[in-house]
Amino acid sequence: MAHGKGSAPRRGGAARGGARGRSTGRRAPGRTTPAPKTTPGPKTAPAPEPEAPRTFRLGAVPGATPGRWVDRWSSRRPEVALELVPLEVAEQRRALDDGRVDAAIARRPIDDDGLHVIALYDEVPVVVMSSESDLTVVDELEASDLDGSVLIVPGDDVLGPFDLPGTVPPRFDTIETTADAIATVATGVGIAIVPMSLARLHHRRDVTYRPLVGGPVSSVVFAWRRDRDSADIQDFVGIIRGRTANSSR
């Protein structure tokens, strides 16, 4: 069959195929593009409630030296104030029982019924004497070196009673405090035997001291009531034992 003049030949299949193959960018009627999936982010935990201000009350008997532990507490637990409460040995247990302190650096003997007690260190006993005493000629003393010496035992003694048969009791009434006993020793009247820390605490220019070989030691401990254990006490125990801030209890 002849084509009409001037008309282009049809490319039926090719033309129709090409039209089908080209994208017009139009969506088919009734179809929608699904929204992209999103992954939920992690939930933000609510900020913890700030702790109420509080104070950790630490008792300490004369001669105790908790300074390094207190310094570590201040740097590690600045949000909890530490109050250092001076205690006489005679009141150390009572202060724990009546809640005046949360814990205490104390001396043995202490009634440990109902207490947690951790040994810290033992103190060497020393003989305190006048700086003019003949006993100063040696670096350390034995019990036999004290024969004939007047032994002054103060009312707040933390070592006795102990046996020094060669010594002589004083002819005056009991001197109540270690400080006053050492002041009496400074006059040249007798000697006193105390833990080294107390000799240093009550140091005077007119007295000196020497270690007593084989003498009674004074054991220093950290103590608190079993029924009042707390996170603060356990943190202080960790400091005493040298744990780092990240160590587990």
Side-chain angles (χ1 to χ4, degrees):
M1 176 185 290
H3 297 287
K5 186 178 178 179
S7 62
R10 292 183 180 177
R11 299 177 184 175
R16 287 193 296 272
R20 290 194 190 100
R22 289 195 299 273
S23 172
T24 63
R26 299 176 182 173
R27 298 191 188 98
R31 298 181 62 185
T32 58
T33 303
K37 294 182 178 180
T38 58
T39 303
K43 293 182 179 180
T44 303
E49 292 291 331
E51 294 185 11
R54 64 181 183 275
T55 299
F56 177 56
R57 294 161 300 172
L58 176 65
V61 295
T65 53
R68 64 188 184 280
W69 298 324
V70 173
D71 290 343
R72 289 174 192 168
W73 176 274
S74 298
S75 62
R76 189 177 301 183
R77 298 294 307 279
E79 77 282 5
V80 180
L82 189 150
E83 179 185 353
L84 200 58
V85 181
L87 297 177
E88 295 300 327
V89 171
E91 62 176 345
Q92 58 188 12
R93 176 62 201 248
R94 186 167 63 252
L96 288 168
D97 289 342
D98 64 20
R100 185 152 37 111
V101 297
D102 299 304
I105 298 176
R107 290 187 187 274
R108 290 193 184 277
I110 182 172
D111 175 13
D112 59 6
D113 183 33
L115 296 184
H116 287 294
V117 179
I118 297 175
L120 297 178
Y121 54 87
D122 290 337
E123 282 199 73
V124 174
V126 298
V127 180
V128 182
M129 66 203 77
S130 164
S131 297
E132 304 299 323
S133 171
D134 293 340
L135 297 174
T136 62
V137 298
V138 296
D139 293 331
E140 59 183 24
L141 295 166
E142 297 182 359
S144 59
D145 297 322
L146 306 180
D147 286 353
S149 297
V150 174
L151 177 60
I152 301 172
V153 181
D156 61 359
D157 173 59
V158 298
L159 292 177
F162 56 93
D163 188 23
L164 283 175
T167 59
V168 178
R171 295 183 178 180
F172 45 80
D173 293 338
T174 299
I175 297 175
E176 291 303 319
T177 68
T178 297
D180 288 341
I182 290 177
T184 303
V185 166
T187 67
V189 179
I191 59 171
I193 300 176
V194 300
M196 184 179 289
S197 67
L198 293 184
R200 289 173 174 170
L201 178 65
H202 301 296
H203 176 70
R204 300 166 50 110
R205 292 182 181 179
D206 45 7
V207 299
T208 188
Y209 59 85
R210 296 289 186 271
L212 177 61
V213 177
V217 300
S218 177
S219 297
V220 179
V221 300
F222 181 67
W224 70 99
R225 285 185 60 99
R226 291 178 180 270
D227 58 357
R228 295 179 191 160
D229 203 355
S230 68
D232 289 341
I233 290 174
Q234 289 304 316
D235 283 344
F236 198 83
V237 170
I239 288 172
I240 287 174
R241 289 179 167 168
R243 298 188 195 127
T244 65
N246 296 325
S247 298
S248 60
R249 291 177 186 163

